Amino acid sequence: MAFNIITAEEAAQFIHHNDNVGFSGFTAAGTPKVVPVALAQRAEAEHAAGRPFQIGVYTGASTSDYVDGALTRAKAIKSRTPYQSHKDTRAAVNANEIAYFDMHLSHLAQSLRYGFLGKINVAIIEATEVTPEGEILLGNGVGATPTFCALADKIIIELNHHDPKELRGMHDIYQPLDPPYRREIPIYKPSDRIGSPIVKVDPKKIVGIVESDKLDGVKPFTPADETTMKIGQNVCDFLVSQLKAGLIPPQFLPIQSGVGNIANAVLGSLGSNPDIPAFEMYTEVIQDAVIDLMKEGKCKFASCCSMTISDEKQKEVFGNIRFFHDKVIMRPGEISNNPEIVRRLGLITMNTALEADIFGNVNSTHVTGTKMMNGIGGSADFTRNAYLSIFTCPSVAKGGKISAIVPMVSHVDHSEHSVQVLITEQGVADLRGKSPIQRAHTIIENCVHPMYKQLLWDYLKLGKGHTPHNLKAAFGFHNEFLKSGDMALTNWADYV
Ligand code: 0RQ
């Protein structure tokens, strides 16, 4: 079947007010770049003419300025799931202008197929290649693309001429059967291939092809500073101690690592530690550090959902694609983050906390319990099912005016039952097998910034019971921050 080549503006006409639209990709990698911008312009024109125009935005994870940024500024987003990290979208979510529904990334595709989230009307898919038979070769990220394509009435292809055709063979597209027919997902090691290199769609659903040559536009990471380097060092020392104690098998276990500067720095430290054996990864996002580890032979293989690498690194990977071709596999988010596989492979998971409490609960999403940062992403898909779950964060934020360790987290994403190890630049708290009071002791002693230690020891004296909270004082740090802008000024006498 021959497809129509259309402009981005023509493509935008296929989308109507109140439609639910699925966007390809995962993070900025593989997300469409020209149709969403034309869609934002269409929304602005409709609004200027006095007509409503808003859509439901479904993605694999966060996107880029082309999707979340442009559509948010055009006030074109009615609802949004599952993860966002754009500053404009974050502001609109916190002003309740966008109905944002935060969910585990591995749940998205199946929730759509189960019909829990409404209908997908249109899928906008960035492709490296598309054949007349409807075989789509994706780019740097998979996300929920296979499910969006299967469920949408119409598919718009954004054909990106920048990505090399040699990406063929780096994707593994697999969609499990849904209950009551689901069987085990047959991945027994990170490199197992179980699906197809392409997404197959009904070619009759493809309403047009829009041409593009834009890059993903991922920014390089901030170089590791003293704090992130110390966190990385503490993670390495801890993992080496576990290896030596026989608590991690000598051949090591596959690693999952979250997103952001801290995660990138931790990976860098793992790479330079001679006591950590060369390892495989089963993770959702490959960042720049992984590419370097592959070149050094320290990372042997990575299964992921996207290569979220800076434009500079992408040039390096595309220029040497033969080397990376059999070292990376990109899977749909429901497989890259699948709890069944995470548990089976025995992953060492490393994610970042915004704040943790002295009893081991972690908040990854809400600033002072009310303001959404990004979303839970895949952090809980991995944490809850890990062989060994680690959370890292600097012990203080905002120049010390915020302690990342608080009496009680202001929002719970990962409960004390899932968080096994907490690591800051101050040290390591191994929480396994410890009672709440024992956990509080090890966290205050090892992870809290010296500036906040005495305050937390004093808090512990205010409570009673198995988990000795004092409900009047539990949010004392947060209240003080909202009042004076400095948690260190907390005075427990104000609460008891
Ligand atoms: O603010 O940017 O204004 O300086 O939060 O903090 O320390 O730079 O850490 O970039 O790694 O992000 C949890 C948000 C951490 C991220 C979170 C302020 C701090 C700074 C960022 P500035 P850092 P990171 C798989 C894994 C959930 C999803 C997930 C995240 C900014 O890791 O979204 O794990 N995780 N996915 O100053 C107020 C506190 C704070 C605070 C830090 N206690 N209160 N502000 N900050 N602590 C990937 C995917 O799912 C795709």
Side-chain angles (χ1 to χ4, degrees):
M1 183 173 163
F3 303 118
N4 289 334
I5 305 288
I6 57 176
T7 64
E9 291 69 28
E10 286 166 340
Q13 295 298 325
F14 285 104
I15 294 151
H16 305 296
H17 174 55
N18 269 336
D19 273 358
N20 288 329
V21 181
F23 293 85
S24 65
F26 196 85
T27 69
T31 50
K33 300 164 179 72
V34 293
V35 179
V37 171
L39 187 59
Q41 285 160 357
R42 163 136 196 251
E44 279 166 350
E46 291 289 316
H47 297 160
R51 289 187 291 269
F53 191 98
Q54 284 201 314
I55 58 167
V57 174
Y58 295 77
T59 61
S62 57
T63 63
S64 63
D65 192 64
Y66 297 121
V67 179
D68 275 316
L71 291 170
T72 299
R73 289 189 294 274
K75 300 198 182 304
I77 306 181
K78 175 186 62 174
S79 60
R80 179 80 180 85
T81 202
Y83 184 80
Q84 49 74 42
S85 63
H86 193 283
K87 66 177 178 14
D88 295 339
T89 311
R90 184 181 298 139
V93 163
N94 285 315
N96 290 313
E97 290 162 13
I98 293 175
Y100 172 55
F101 172 53
D102 190 18
M103 67 189 298
H104 305 299
L105 297 187
S106 74
H107 281 184
L108 176 74
Q110 66 176 34
S111 297
L112 283 166
R113 292 197 303 271
Y114 298 167
F116 293 172
L117 302 177
K119 160 127 201 76
I120 294 290
N121 303 97
V122 184
I124 307 178
I125 307 300
E126 187 183 73
T128 302
E129 247 178 359
V130 57
T131 69
E133 294 75 35
E135 292 187 352
I136 301 172
L137 173 63
L138 297 177
N140 276 346
V142 181
T145 303
T147 299
F148 293 148
C149 288
L151 298 180
D153 297 329
K154 288 175 251 174
I155 300 173
I156 296 165
I157 300 287
E158 227 184 83
L159 192 60
N160 192 318
H161 296 294
H162 175 267
D163 292 348
K165 311 277 180 277
E166 289 83 358
L167 279 174
R168 192 178 185 91
M170 293 181 79
H171 307 94
D172 190 41
I173 308 299
Y174 177 90
Q175 193 170 286
L177 293 176
D178 288 329
Y181 306 108
R182 187 168 299 183
R183 301 281 307 264
E184 83 279 16
I185 299 168
I187 293 176
Y188 306 104
K189 55 184 190 309
S191 54
D192 279 345
R193 171 177 284 288
I194 58 171
S196 158
I198 49 98
V199 179
K200 177 79 179 81
V201 305
D202 176 357
K204 288 197 283 300
K205 294 208 290 190
I206 299 180
V207 294
I209 295 186
V210 180
E211 297 188 276
S212 149
D213 60 359
K214 291 206 182 321
L215 294 170
D216 287 331
V218 176
K219 301 270 174 301
F221 285 96
T222 323
D225 60 18
E226 208 184 312
T227 305
T228 49
M229 269 161 64
K230 192 75 188 64
I231 293 174
Q233 188 59 47
N234 288 343
V235 172
C236 284
D237 292 348
F238 173 71
L239 291 177
V240 169
S241 76
Q242 297 300 290
L243 268 168
K244 289 194 175 143
L247 297 173
I248 296 177
Q251 63 272 44
F252 215 55
L253 287 168
I255 284 178
Q256 175 263 339
S257 156
V259 280
N261 291 324
I262 298 172
N264 212 44
V266 168
L267 280 172
S269 302
L270 286 183
S272 56
N273 191 313
D275 293 326
I276 304 275
F279 54 83
E280 295 184 311
M281 297 189 73
Y282 196 87
T283 192
E284 56 178 45
V285 167
I286 298 190
Q287 304 188 135
D288 282 10
V290 178
I291 301 299
D292 295 332
L293 293 179
M294 283 185 162
K295 286 193 306 196
E296 292 156 14
K298 189 81 180 191
C299 176
K300 297 183 287 187
F301 188 89
S303 163
C304 61
C305 191
S306 70
M307 287 196 286
T308 304
I309 48 181
S310 61
D311 291 345
E312 207 175 293
K313 267 295 169 239
Q314 184 171 299
K315 207 183 281 175
E316 204 176 309
V317 171
F318 287 176
N320 196 4
I321 194 117
R322 282 287 121 212
F323 175 81
F324 291 99
H325 197 271
D326 58 355
K327 294 182 179 57
V328 175
I329 201 162
M330 289 181 270
R331 310 180 190 274
E334 68 179 320
I335 305 297
S336 65
N337 290 25
N338 195 284
E340 171 194 330
I341 316 285
V342 174
R343 181 76 64 99
R344 179 182 299 142
L345 298 184
L347 302 193
I348 297 169
T349 67
M350 299 183 289
N351 292 286
T352 312
L354 265 185
E355 63 177 11
D357 68 31
I358 52 174
F359 300 111
N361 300 286
V362 164
N363 169 12
S364 293
T365 56
H366 283 70
V367 175
T368 52
T370 56
K371 285 199 248 67
M372 173 54 71
M373 185 77 170
N374 302 326
I376 194 164
S379 53
D381 292 328
F382 291 100
T383 296
R384 177 74 184 90
N385 302 288
Y387 177 94
L388 184 60
S389 67
I390 300 173
F391 273 90
T392 58
C393 63
S395 65
V396 290
K398 306 294 174 205
K401 293 190 186 314
I402 291 178
S403 172
I405 317 291
V406 294
M408 184 188 261
V409 282
S410 54
H411 174 96
V412 187
D413 291 297
H414 310 285
S415 82
E416 54 176 308
H417 310 292
S418 303
V419 178
Q420 295 179 319
V421 183
L422 182 65
I423 300 182
T424 68
E425 81 288 357
Q426 301 293 324
V428 177
D430 183 350
L431 310 176
R432 289 171 293 178
K434 294 196 169 68
S435 72
I437 292 176
Q438 291 170 329
R439 290 200 293 271
H441 279 260
T442 181
I443 290 174
I444 300 173
E445 191 56 46
N446 297 325
C447 293
V448 170
H449 194 281
M451 201 163 37
Y452 286 95
K453 267 192 176 170
Q454 194 54 49
L455 270 173
L456 287 167
W457 286 127
D458 291 344
Y459 172 78
L460 209 48
K461 291 184 206 140
L462 304 177
K464 286 198 175 60
H466 177 63
T467 302
H469 266 304
N470 179 303
L471 295 184
K472 282 192 195 148
F475 294 123
F477 274 20
H478 302 88
N479 282 320
E480 185 60 42
F481 182 72
L482 293 173
K483 190 174 82 182
S484 69
D486 189 352
M487 286 184 179
L489 301 179
T490 304
N491 181 356
W492 297 125
D494 295 343
Y495 298 94
V496 290

